[in-house]
Amino acid sequence: MNIIKLLERANIKFGNEIAYQYKTDSITFSQVYNKTLSVAMKISLNSEEKQPIVVISNKNINIPSIYMGIAYSNCHYVPVSQEMPKNKIE
């Protein structure tokens, strides 16, 4: 079973329960699922399958949904720290 199937099952079974917390923010399984689908849809409309998607972000409550959305769209993610020197990112 892959991460997408697990997320779909968790959404059905635990919907409004908190999936995880980060600092003072929390997010439910349903919110994670909906954000994941939203990310996947945007990627699917704007890029081809199996392409690397660079994610430059600080830690926040939406990062897992972004990574799962990328996986859901049949692409792969490349996490990049905002602290990395700009010439290495390019």
Side-chain angles (χ1 to χ4, degrees), residues 8-88:
E8 290 170 350
R9 285 185 179 185
N11 178 49
I12 292 167
K13 189 171 182 178
F14 304 111
N16 291 323
E17 294 182 35
I18 293 175
Y20 53 89
Q21 294 178 292
Y22 180 72
K23 296 187 179 182
T24 60
D25 295 325
S26 64
I27 190 167
T28 66
F29 285 95
S30 180
Q31 290 171 318
V32 171
Y33 182 73
N34 290 332
K35 286 177 187 277
T36 297
L37 291 181
S38 176
V39 169
M41 179 68 74
K42 288 175 185 171
I43 291 170
S44 295
L45 292 172
N46 294 299
S47 60
E48 296 179 27
E49 286 187 2
K50 301 183 180 180
Q51 295 298 309
I53 307 294
V54 176
V55 179
I56 302 173
S57 180
N58 57 349
K59 292 180 183 178
N60 67 67
I61 197 83
N62 295 311
I63 293 297
S65 298
I66 292 169
Y67 289 158
M68 287 187 280
I70 293 169
Y72 206 99
S73 67
N74 203 21
C75 291
H76 54 278
Y77 57 88
V78 181
V80 177
S81 171
Q82 286 182 321
E83 297 165 5
M84 185 178 286
K86 187 174 180 178
N87 65 334
K88 288 195 175 201

